Structure formats: structure tokens, C-alpha cells
Amino acid sequence: MPPLGPAGSWHHCKGSCPSWHVGAPISRAPERHAASRSPVPGSSAHPGELGKGAAVPFVGMGNRRTERPSDFPPLHSVRKSRAHQESRRKWLKVAFLVSSAVLISLLSWSYLVSEDGVAEVLAHFSESLQDRFIEVPCSEDYDSHKRFEGCTPRKCGRGITDAVITREEAERIRRIAERGLSLGGSDGGASILDLHSGALSVGKHFVNLYRYFGDKIQEVFTEEDFQLYRDVRRRIQQTIAQAFGISSSSMYLTKPTFFSRINSTEAKTTHDEYWHPHIDKVTYGSFDYTSLLYLSDYTEDFGGGRFVFMDVGANKTVEPRAGRVSFFTSGSENLHRVEKVRWGTRYAITISFTCNPDHGIGDPVLT
């Protein structure tokens, strides 16, 4: 929407505006009889020779009826009319400003709704959830992949819980991410650290931190760090298996499983553009179940950055909270995206699982 001009102005005049421009008050003041005015040609009368109250023919009036002072409205009536017009203009200006403010507010609200499409919050930051599960119909995405009985989703949906990982454990996990990412970091707004493959964002590229830093890794991480990481992964895996009625032993950790650190820095490469809608099963064919463990708090550590399930007709959001686990089946029944982070830093771990043992990976080991 183009910016509005000054409230109440209809157009802009350069220099001085003529008195008849649109929006200028039109009022006709009584003309005063000046002694220096000349009579109409052909007339022998001179203004100085006329008595008080005599009619004075003005130049340019032709044969029009001459005007007498008594023909003009009283001065107090003119002043009253002007005051009324001025008051009316002020009210029109106020009405214009108010209506403009309302219009801008409505347009802003409309933009936010179209941008975020938010209609329902599944999990508020301020609430502590024991367990919340929403079942949704499964898509056909799984039919194009090999099925594994007792694991491939037949029951689909999404769940949120704050009862699996404590906030203290989330803080310890976050410190692991902070130490690892301090070795590098993306030039853009999204950095990743994969303890399984060793992938670490550095500038506009990735390096293998185990090869790049060698034995120095022992000074960054401890065996206790990796043990906590494995224990957290195991508990999340069991939670997913229970929610979908499958055996956790039929699920395998798969890649990519990684830490993410997101801030408001402008994207420099496509790897930084985390906000696009996507389907995990389409992006990564091995995914059957996806989970996220949040390591920082929405509205306290960062703004924006909510997780959005993009359902038909109404989106559903999850507000991150340290220790909160969000999990879901990976097909197109759970199309999703992450809002852009507007300020602060958002930490999380994506932990993914497959039903195909050929795509399984092991837990990271500090060597």
C-alpha cells in the first residue's frame, strides 16, 4: 500500500497555492470602496463627489447592478460562518486521521494473518503440558516407500510434551550446542551442528569438525555430554513409539539429526532459508517420524521462530519452551515451517527416526 500523504491534504502545491485550489476555503469578503478607484469610463461622477451611501460603479462591472454596502451580510455573520467552516474542517481532519488509523490497523492485521495464517496455538509457551496428541489422517507418502510392519505409520498425527526432558537437562544440552557452534557458525541466520556426521556450519560452507579440529574436540565436549545426548534421544524415541502404538526397537535413528541455532541475521545462502514450508518425508525419504527438542524459550530468548503446522484452512502453532518435545509423522499430513526469528537466538535439536534399518545411524561417540 503506498504511503498516505499528510492527513486532510488533497494535493500538494509547489510555492504558493492559488486561492481557488481544491481544499482551500472559499469565502468572499465585502469589497471596500477605495478612494483611488476610477469611475467607469463615460461617467462624470468621481468617488469623492458622491455622498455617503451613494452607489459606486466599479470597473469591469458592465451593466451589472451596482452593489451597496447594505447588500453584504453583517460582519458578525461572516465571522460566524468562517468559524463554522473552520470547525467543520477540523472535524473532517480528525475523522480522516481516525479512519486512516483504523484502515492501517486492519491492513496490518490482514497481512499478519496472511503471513502467518495462525488460527490456533497447540502449545503456549506459558503452559506445561503433560501430554497432548492430535491424530490426523495419514497421507499416501508412505505408499511410495518400502513398508515395515509394526513401524511404518498407520496412525498419523502430532504430539507435544513437557514431561520427558527437564528444563535443567535442556539447559545442559544447550551448552553442548553453544560450545560446538562456537567453533564455527554460518554467515547467515541459521547454523547447524551434527554430532553424528561431524557437519558444522562455517561461513557459507560446512566442515567436518572431527577432522578439522582433531584432538581439540576432546577439549570442547566430554563423555558426559555424549551420554546425556544419547539418553535424551532414547527417551524421545520411547515417547514417540508409545504415542503411535509401535515398538521403539523397530525405530532407527536416521540422518540428518542435528542442533540448530537461528537468529535474525539475513540469509547468505539457501542453507540459511529455514522458513520455507516443507514435508520431511519428501525432503528426506528415510524419515518416518520427526521430533524436535527445544532448548530456548519463545518471547524470552527470541521472538518469532514458532513452529507452524500448515493445515488446510487453519494453521496450528507450537511455541518453543526449553525442554519441550514436539513430534509428528513425517508425511505430507504434517506440512510445516518455522517462522522467521525476529530477534534473539533460537536453539533446538531435530531428532529423526526411520523404520528402514538400512537408513539407520548410530549414536555419536567421543573418540
Side-chain angles (χ1 to χ4, degrees):
M1 177 180 178
L4 296 174
S9 67
W10 296 94
H11 69 283
H12 179 70
C13 298
K14 295 182 179 179
S16 60
C17 294
S19 61
W20 57 84
H21 77 273
V22 178
I26 300 176
S27 57
R28 185 172 178 178
E31 297 176 352
R32 298 183 182 275
H33 300 172
S36 61
R37 284 177 178 165
S38 302
V40 176
S43 171
S44 60
H46 188 280
E49 299 174 355
L50 298 175
K52 183 177 180 181
V56 180
F58 293 105
V59 175
M61 296 298 291
N63 295 324
R64 290 178 57 186
R65 181 179 63 87
T66 57
E67 295 177 334
R68 302 175 183 274
S70 60
D71 292 333
F72 295 103
L75 183 60
H76 74 275
S77 297
V78 173
R79 290 175 177 172
K80 184 176 181 181
S81 176
R82 287 178 177 175
H84 177 73
Q85 290 179 6
E86 184 65 26
S87 175
R88 186 169 181 270
R89 281 195 298 273
K90 287 181 179 179
W91 278 109
L92 287 174
K93 185 175 182 179
V94 170
F96 178 82
L97 289 171
V98 171
S99 61
S100 297
V102 171
L103 178 60
I104 292 171
S105 298
L106 288 173
L107 289 174
S108 299
W109 178 85
S110 176
Y111 172 78
L112 290 174
V113 169
S114 62
E115 174 72 9
D116 295 333
V118 176
E120 180 182 347
V121 178
L122 293 181
H124 290 273
F125 157 73
S126 58
E127 59 183 335
S128 180
L129 299 174
Q130 184 67 28
D131 292 295
R132 180 169 292 172
F133 184 82
I134 301 94
E135 186 170 354
V136 298
C138 291
S139 65
E140 298 179 354
D141 297 343
Y142 309 99
D143 296 338
S144 59
H145 297 267
K146 184 178 179 180
R147 299 189 70 89
F148 293 85
E149 198 60 36
C151 182
T152 299
R154 293 191 180 278
K155 173 185 177 181
C156 294
R158 57 198 63 151
I160 307 103
T161 178
D162 296 313
V164 175
I165 309 300
T166 68
R167 289 179 67 84
E168 187 273 333
E169 289 172 326
E171 176 61 29
R172 289 170 57 195
I173 289 284
R174 173 174 168 167
R175 287 198 291 268
I176 297 173
E178 289 173 336
R179 291 199 303 272
L181 287 163
S182 70
L183 300 174
S186 170
D187 288 344
S191 301
I192 72 161
L193 167 65
D194 185 337
L195 293 180
H196 302 266
S197 68
L200 172 68
S201 300
V202 177
K204 296 181 175 65
H205 308 284
F206 297 92
V207 301
N208 185 309
L209 78 153
Y210 298 120
R211 290 200 296 265
Y212 196 82
F213 295 100
D215 293 339
K216 291 183 180 179
I217 291 298
Q218 302 282 345
E219 302 172 7
V220 179
F221 305 117
T222 66
E223 180 54 40
E224 288 75 15
D225 293 334
F226 279 55
Q227 181 56 50
L228 175 61
Y229 184 94
R230 291 190 291 267
D231 183 51
V232 165
R233 186 274 307 161
R234 178 185 55 80
R235 279 185 273 162
I236 292 175
Q237 183 171 340
Q238 291 173 342
T239 299
I240 295 173
Q242 183 177 4
F244 290 101
I246 61 177
S247 171
S248 63
S249 61
S250 66
M251 301 166 60
Y252 303 90
L253 191 65
T254 193
K255 61 181 180 182
T257 288
F258 57 93
F259 288 103
S260 61
R261 181 185 69 191
I262 304 175
N263 58 38
S264 60
T265 304
E266 182 182 357
K268 299 299 190 295
T269 71
T270 55
H271 297 295
D272 298 318
E273 297 179 6
Y274 57 86
W275 54 83
H276 299 296
H278 62 278
I279 300 164
D280 290 345
K281 189 67 177 173
V282 174
T283 306
Y284 312 104
S286 63
F287 280 34
D288 289 302
Y289 301 94
T290 306
S291 69
L292 295 107
L293 168 59
Y294 298 109
L295 305 175
S296 48
D297 294 328
Y298 173 67
T299 72
E300 293 192 3
D301 297 318
F302 63 92
R306 292 180 296 180
F307 186 94
V308 183
F309 289 108
M310 303 180 69
D311 293 346
V312 175
N315 293 344
K316 311 291 194 306
T317 64
V318 176
E319 297 178 353
R321 168 188 168 101
R324 172 166 288 170
V325 176
S326 173
F327 59 91
F328 50 92
T329 46
S330 305
S332 56
E333 68 276 1
N334 282 313
L335 170 68
H336 61 274
R337 69 182 184 92
V338 174
E339 294 176 332
K340 288 185 178 181
V341 171
R342 297 192 299 271
W343 58 268
T345 305
R346 177 190 190 270
Y347 284 91
I349 316 176
T350 298
I351 304 176
S352 49
F353 298 94
T354 182
C355 296
N356 189 338
D358 295 338
H359 294 150
I361 61 173
D363 285 315
V365 178
L366 187 63
T367 56

